[in-house]
Amino acid sequence: QVQLAESGGGLVQAGGSLRLSCAASGGSLSSYFLGWFRQAPGKEREFVSAISWSSGTTYYEDFAKERFIIYRDNVKNTVYLQMNKLKPEDTAVYYCAMKYDYGFAVPALTPADFGPWGQGTQVTVSS
């Protein structure tokens, strides 16, 4: 079974950038979506972005569209989330997860549609 491991979180000032990594091991990702989600204290886990490993098609939540970029490295079996112009409200634990890619034009991208999950990485943005 594929295992996912996130890294790259940390403390950054508002306006700064971070790049999160999600390394996959134990299997092929060619038929899957890799997604990023986040969960702030007291809030539900929410979708951030996802990428189809086979087609490279990307999806973003509205708050991420102008500031975040998701991309993959096929050789390293890793998906990245480049986060720019970070805001204090971006503070959360960021998780990566995967789901099978059925090839739907509009895939379901809620947390309930994904699994397995990585352990998460903390991102803290100070004002």
Side-chain angles (χ1 to χ4, degrees):
Q1 184 174 351
V2 175
Q3 293 186 323
L4 304 174
E6 304 95 332
S7 62
L11 174 63
V12 64
Q13 288 188 332
S17 298
L18 280 175
R19 189 183 74 164
L20 305 183
S21 302
C22 174
S25 60
S28 172
L29 299 176
S30 60
S31 299
Y32 291 88
F33 279 100
L34 267 290
W36 284 100
F37 296 78
R38 68 185 187 183
Q39 188 165 17
K43 295 189 177 181
E44 294 186 352
R45 193 168 298 189
E46 64 177 350
F47 172 72
V48 178
S49 182
I51 185 168
S52 167
W53 200 266
S54 59
S55 70
T57 303
T58 58
Y59 305 83
Y60 295 93
E61 188 56 82
D62 286 346
F63 65 79
K65 285 180 180 177
E66 301 298 325
R67 300 184 295 125
F68 296 178
I69 302 170
I70 189 171
Y71 60 100
R72 70 198 191 292
D73 184 322
N74 291 336
V75 175
K76 295 183 178 179
N77 238 26
T78 298
V79 63
Y80 301 96
L81 185 68
Q82 177 67 43
M83 304 189 296
N84 303 316
K85 300 179 182 179
L86 283 163
K87 304 175 181 180
E89 51 264 43
D90 294 318
T91 295
V93 178
Y94 284 71
Y95 299 89
C96 69
M98 58 191 293
K99 65 163 284 183
Y100 191 79
D101 184 355
Y102 293 96
F104 297 149
V106 183
L109 298 173
T110 70
D113 298 304
F114 281 76
W117 294 79
Q119 81 287 352
T121 185
Q122 176 70 48
V123 171
T124 303
V125 184
S126 63
S127 57

